[in-house]
Amino acid sequence: MSADNSGIDAILADLNEQQRAAATHGDSPLLVVAGAGTGKTTTLAHRVAYLISTGVDPKRILLLTFTRRAAAELLRRVDGILQEMHANDRSKGSRRSAASRAVWGGTFHAVAARLLRRHGQLIGLPPEFTIFDRSDAEDLLNVLRAELELAETGSRFPLKGTCLDIYSRLMNTRRRLEEVLNRSFPWCAEHHDDLKTLFNTYIDRKESLGVLDYDDLLFFWHAMVHDEQAGNAIRKKFDCVLIDEYQDTNLLQAEILTGLAPDGQRVTVVGDDAQSIYSFRAATVRNILDFPEQYPGTTVVALEQNYRSSQPILNATNRVIGQATERHRKELWSERTDGRPPVLVHCQDEDEQTDYIVDQILEHRENGLDLKRQAVLFRASHHSIALEVELSRQNIPFHKYGGLKFIETAHVKDLMAYLKLGENPRDIVAAMRVLMLLPGIGRKKAGQLINQLEVAGFDFNCWRDYRPPTAAKTHWPLFVALMRRLASTRGHADQVESDLSDVRIFYTPLLELKYDHAKVRLRDLQQLEQVASRFADRQTFLTEITLDPPSSTQDLPEDPHLDEDYLILSTIHSAKGLEWDAVYVMHAADGNIPSDMSTGSEEEIEEELRLFYVALTRAKTWLYVCHPERYYFHGRFKSDAHSFSQLTRFLPEDILTLFERQSAGLGEAEEDETDDVPAPHISTASVRNRIRKAW
């Protein structure tokens, strides 16, 4: 396939010099250090389109991202670029569009699942495995924790969520248990031996159940690419590997890349070390910092022209990130040279901070800036509570990001459990959940029924003769019939929507008994049913929903909001990759930014600095950083007890020269009222004499 050079040149003309250099790079390893707002997605899309247009088979391109939406957006842009390159040849343009859809694009976990379904047998993994989400994994650990009687040791054993956090950190950092405990979970160090027993049992139980958790997906992919036979088979599938957001990868993912392309040839990684903020997920900034040393001959291209923020904002953010002790050097600049400097707002306390932010938001709105184009960012979710109360009081609509995901809600978990058990009858977590939904069946009886199912070779017919408690008498035969039918449709195409409908009809009376707001919850399930119609089979549906769950019902088809303009509230982590015209950063005080939970080492403080930088670089035109100088101790009773705070250490005096400074509650100066003051008729001495007489 030969490239149309005139078409390619026309498209590349839209790129700046650094973007063009990255898009047209040759075969040697390429690191694109893309500063905030510098057109990272545009550059990566042009890189993929260039590779396809210069002869690379799209089926042999692997594009790894951290969200499914990011992959879809990248490939959508690739389609547009290819069609524009060949605008004069309509048949070729359509072929190019189809070519981009052939690219292996997706998240690490989704691609891992796809490869393991196809090639897992090379390492002894059957293709019908099911996938545990985080909640499922926690539940299984909790079952094993109880079986091993670890909570009865006389000391405070970690809860299931902490156990999974420790296990996941072990898997993704490639460190030993003792080191992980000492570094990240010192309060759990005394349970070293019991945790080791728990994790070994967890591994064995997953093997017997035929399930993989999130971490297993990466670990089994890692095992494949580092196995001689399987590794060769995987490497032969791909000519080019491209990874977005490389600063967010962990050590296990970096080792997967090494297995895919040991010499780094035709490898492109894109990211920004200044936005590496996910160490709590085991991501390490070392991957992007050390990439040139890991792959000798790497070309580093820095994208520095910013298309988002005004230059006064960039002047400040460049200086903020300049405090980092180790980084890839870059100096962001913009053609938008004018604009207001960022504002540091001194507030007496949290209430004054809230009032200032609300007043400023409404003022911008009156001046034509929609609420959707404004965002309030904070380090921790609870930092916005007072603001949410005031917004509600003033009837200002808002959406908050960083809460419970749709797929993690109890009623959705219930619905999915029926499908998971039908797909894999060995899934004891799903079995325990659906059995305990039935009235009169508790954990002990559910355990007995699961044992009976195992003895019967996981044939649901074994439950037909069970005599249920009176409360479940009408539900039980319908439940057994449902599970038998779900088992019979395993592997059938075009059956997902029907399966979900059957489950929903059976589950509705149980939902109405168990939960409040039943109508709202049932609507969620109906929406999920509509989504299911897009999937060819149940296994694909379960895999996709588990690996890329919707965050809320807003991600599913529904009626539009009556009020379509709303303010954005978001944790800084959830705001990464987004932008707004006006941004308000709350609680810029030491202890909040940086968090007092993340100052135990230089590495943690550096990450907090990068997190603050991410918050600042979300702003396009207006940036407000609010510092409450006083925090009240609102415990059980409100009182005047308080402490004074210090401005975040990330804004020293030399950087503050780039900020405009305001006091939130400072109004017009009061008039001088010293005229016509009558002469005193008593003296201070006489007052003090009265005090003496008091005793």
Side-chain angles (χ1 to χ4, degrees):
M1 177 164 50
S2 61
D4 182 343
N5 291 330
S6 62
I8 293 176
D9 290 342
I11 296 301
L12 296 179
D14 296 333
L15 305 180
N16 64 40
E17 182 180 349
Q18 288 74 28
Q19 291 172 330
R20 193 179 308 116
T24 61
H25 180 74
D27 293 343
S28 64
L30 173 65
L31 168 61
V32 182
V33 181
T38 57
K40 169 180 69 69
T41 303
T42 296
T43 304
L44 190 53
H46 278 80
R47 174 78 174 145
V48 175
Y50 180 82
L51 289 171
I52 293 173
S53 287
T54 53
V56 178
D57 184 345
K59 295 192 295 292
R60 300 183 62 78
I61 295 176
L62 175 60
L63 174 63
L64 294 169
T65 64
F66 275 82
T67 67
R68 182 178 181 178
R69 183 170 293 178
E73 171 64 14
L74 269 168
L75 293 177
R76 185 190 66 79
R77 293 199 191 188
V78 170
D79 279 345
I81 295 166
L82 291 173
Q83 288 168 0
E84 194 172 345
M85 278 183 176
H86 304 280
N88 295 328
D89 186 340
R90 298 182 66 179
S91 62
K92 185 180 286 188
S94 63
R95 288 200 303 271
R96 301 290 184 173
S97 176
S100 73
R101 289 197 295 271
V103 170
W104 277 66
T107 66
F108 270 91
H109 292 89
V111 169
R114 187 177 171 188
L115 285 170
L116 289 169
R117 296 270 186 225
R118 294 191 181 190
H119 304 286
Q121 289 142 310
L122 292 173
I123 56 171
L125 179 69
E128 65 271 12
F129 65 86
T130 53
I131 300 171
F132 271 2
D133 63 15
R134 179 181 173 88
S135 179
D136 295 329
E138 285 185 0
D139 288 345
L140 179 56
L141 279 169
N142 207 36
V143 169
L144 302 179
R145 186 176 175 271
E147 285 182 8
L148 296 169
E149 300 182 344
L150 296 177
E152 302 172 16
T153 58
S155 60
R156 186 169 60 97
F157 194 80
L159 296 174
K160 61 180 182 179
T162 304
C163 291
L164 184 60
D165 287 340
I166 296 170
Y167 177 80
S168 187
R169 187 65 62 98
L170 282 171
M171 295 281 283
N172 290 296
T173 62
R174 317 283 280 130
R175 294 194 178 110
R176 300 183 66 82
L177 177 58
E178 182 178 6
E179 185 180 359
V180 167
L181 292 177
N182 290 336
R183 277 174 170 255
S184 305
F185 303 90
W187 63 93
C188 302
E190 64 177 292
H191 301 291
H192 175 279
D193 293 343
D194 286 338
L195 284 167
K196 188 173 181 179
T197 300
L198 175 64
F199 295 154
N200 284 331
T201 308
Y202 177 59
I203 292 167
D204 292 340
R205 190 62 59 87
K206 285 187 294 181
E207 178 74 12
S208 68
L209 298 176
V211 300
L212 302 183
D213 62 22
Y214 283 157
D215 298 316
D216 290 333
L217 290 172
L218 296 185
F219 206 87
F220 275 68
W221 186 8
H222 179 278
M224 276 205 308
V225 295
H226 288 280
D227 174 81
E228 184 175 355
Q229 180 185 0
N232 286 333
I234 300 299
R235 280 187 289 275
K236 287 177 181 177
K237 292 184 68 68
F238 305 115
D239 291 331
C240 299
V241 180
L242 302 95
I243 303 180
D244 191 17
E245 305 286 9
Y246 194 66
Q247 79 281 349
D248 293 336
T249 54
N250 58 43
L251 187 58
L252 187 61
Q253 289 163 328
E255 290 180 358
I256 288 172
L257 175 60
T258 303
L260 287 170
D263 57 2
Q265 291 299 297
R266 286 196 164 187
V267 167
T268 299
V269 299
V270 181
D272 183 6
D273 54 288
Q275 298 185 67
S276 178
I277 59 174
Y278 290 112
S279 67
F280 65 92
R281 297 180 187 165
T284 172
V285 71
R286 299 301 334 164
N287 285 349
I288 192 167
L289 290 176
D290 298 340
F291 187 87
E293 288 71 40
Q294 184 177 6
Y295 296 99
T298 293
T299 297
V300 180
V301 176
L303 305 184
E304 297 178 301
Q305 183 175 355
N306 181 283
Y307 297 93
R308 175 187 299 158
S309 305
S310 63
Q311 191 61 48
I313 291 176
L314 293 178
N315 290 338
T317 56
N318 283 334
R319 292 284 294 278
V320 167
I321 198 59
Q323 300 171 94
T325 56
E326 191 174 4
R327 65 192 182 101
H328 288 294
R329 299 285 169 182
K330 57 187 177 301
E331 194 76 10
L332 302 188
W333 61 275
S334 172
E335 292 181 345
R336 294 177 55 201
T337 55
D338 56 355
R340 185 181 185 182
V343 180
L344 175 65
V345 185
H346 296 280
C347 310
Q348 279 195 346
D349 53 29
E350 295 175 84
D351 290 340
E352 191 168 86
Q353 174 181 244
T354 295
D355 292 342
Y356 176 86
I357 290 175
V358 172
D359 290 346
Q360 202 66 49
I361 287 167
L362 292 176
E363 182 179 329
H364 275 303
R365 181 175 177 273
E366 287 300 311
N367 291 328
L369 190 66
D370 293 342
L371 294 177
K372 274 187 178 179
R373 295 165 62 191
Q374 306 182 61
V376 184
L377 307 183
F378 31 86
R379 174 63 179 85
S381 183
H382 66 272
H383 286 168
S384 67
I385 292 174
L387 176 63
E388 292 174 50
V389 171
E390 184 61 19
L391 291 171
S392 298
R393 191 184 71 79
Q394 297 201 33
N395 198 29
I396 300 173
F398 64 87
H399 282 188
K400 183 176 180 180
Y401 296 91
L404 185 69
K405 288 184 180 294
F406 170 75
I407 203 69
E408 295 167 353
T409 55
H411 56 294
V412 175
K413 291 287 295 180
D414 291 346
L415 188 81
M416 298 293 284
Y418 288 100
L419 296 183
K420 288 181 177 181
L421 183 59
E423 192 67 20
N424 179 9
R426 293 185 292 167
D427 188 340
I428 63 169
V429 172
M432 184 67 71
R433 188 176 191 103
V434 299
L435 286 168
M436 290 179 64
L437 286 170
L438 295 167
I441 295 183
R443 183 173 293 277
K444 183 177 179 180
K445 178 54 68 177
Q448 293 171 353
L449 287 165
I450 292 170
N451 289 336
Q452 181 183 349
L453 182 66
E454 184 176 359
V455 170
F458 301 100
D459 183 349
F460 292 116
N461 281 308
C462 72
W463 284 347
R464 296 175 69 179
D465 297 330
Y466 169 65
R467 298 181 64 182
T470 303
K473 190 173 182 179
T474 58
H475 298 289
W476 184 257
L478 297 174
F479 167 69
V480 175
L482 173 68
M483 297 315 306
R484 291 176 62 209
R485 199 191 75 71
L486 291 176
S488 70
T489 59
R490 190 183 309 135
H492 290 197
D494 302 322
Q495 191 69 38
V496 191
E497 188 176 8
S498 174
D499 289 345
L500 263 170
S501 179
D502 289 348
V503 171
R504 179 179 55 78
I505 292 169
F506 168 78
Y507 172 61
T508 294
L510 299 177
L511 181 151
E512 291 171 340
L513 283 173
K514 189 174 180 65
Y515 303 116
D516 56 4
H517 307 300
K519 287 185 178 179
V520 176
R521 293 176 186 268
L522 285 171
R523 187 182 179 206
D524 286 345
L525 303 186
Q526 289 165 353
Q527 290 174 323
L528 196 57
E529 202 173 307
Q530 293 175 40
V531 172
S533 64
R534 307 173 192 166
F535 294 89
D537 57 72
R538 194 164 66 205
Q539 185 183 82
T540 304
F541 169 74
L542 289 170
T543 299
E544 292 292 328
I545 291 294
T546 301
L547 294 181
D548 187 35
S551 298
S552 68
T553 52
Q554 294 161 31
D555 291 351
L556 302 175
E558 66 169 348
D559 296 331
H561 293 276
L562 294 178
D563 190 339
E564 293 188 346
D565 191 23
Y566 48 83
L567 179 70
I568 303 297
L569 308 184
S570 176
T571 61
I572 302 172
H573 282 100
S574 296
K576 184 171 173 287
L578 304 175
E579 60 182 39
W580 296 274
D581 290 84
V583 169
Y584 311 84
V585 181
M586 302 179 72
H587 297 290
D590 253 36
N592 292 326
I593 300 176
S595 168
D596 54 7
M597 301 293 291
S598 301
T599 55
S601 67
E602 288 298 324
E603 291 81 4
E604 288 178 316
I605 295 172
E606 287 269 306
E607 178 157 329
E608 291 291 303
L609 171 64
R610 296 193 293 267
L611 189 63
F612 185 51
Y613 171 77
V614 166
L616 302 184
T617 53
R618 301 309 94 196
K620 297 166 71 174
T621 305
W622 294 280
L623 173 62
Y624 304 89
V625 180
C626 297
H627 169 223
E629 297 173 343
R630 184 177 312 191
Y631 284 90
Y632 286 89
F633 304 133
H634 296 317
R636 188 173 178 185
F637 303 103
K638 288 190 175 183
S639 73
D640 289 333
H642 64 274
S643 67
F644 286 109
S645 70
Q646 293 185 354
L647 178 66
T648 173
R649 69 189 71 182
F650 302 142
L651 290 179
E653 282 298 326
D654 62 318
I655 294 179
L656 286 178
T657 59
L658 300 170
F659 280 73
E660 179 183 316
R661 301 176 80 155
Q662 284 186 6
S663 293
L666 189 61
E668 295 182 4
E670 296 182 358
E671 294 183 7
D672 189 352
E673 298 180 352
T674 58
D675 294 340
D676 302 322
V677 176
H681 63 277
I682 61 173
S683 66
T684 56
S686 66
V687 175
R688 297 190 188 283
N689 282 330
R690 293 179 189 178
I691 296 173
R692 290 190 187 94
K693 290 178 181 179
W695 62 79

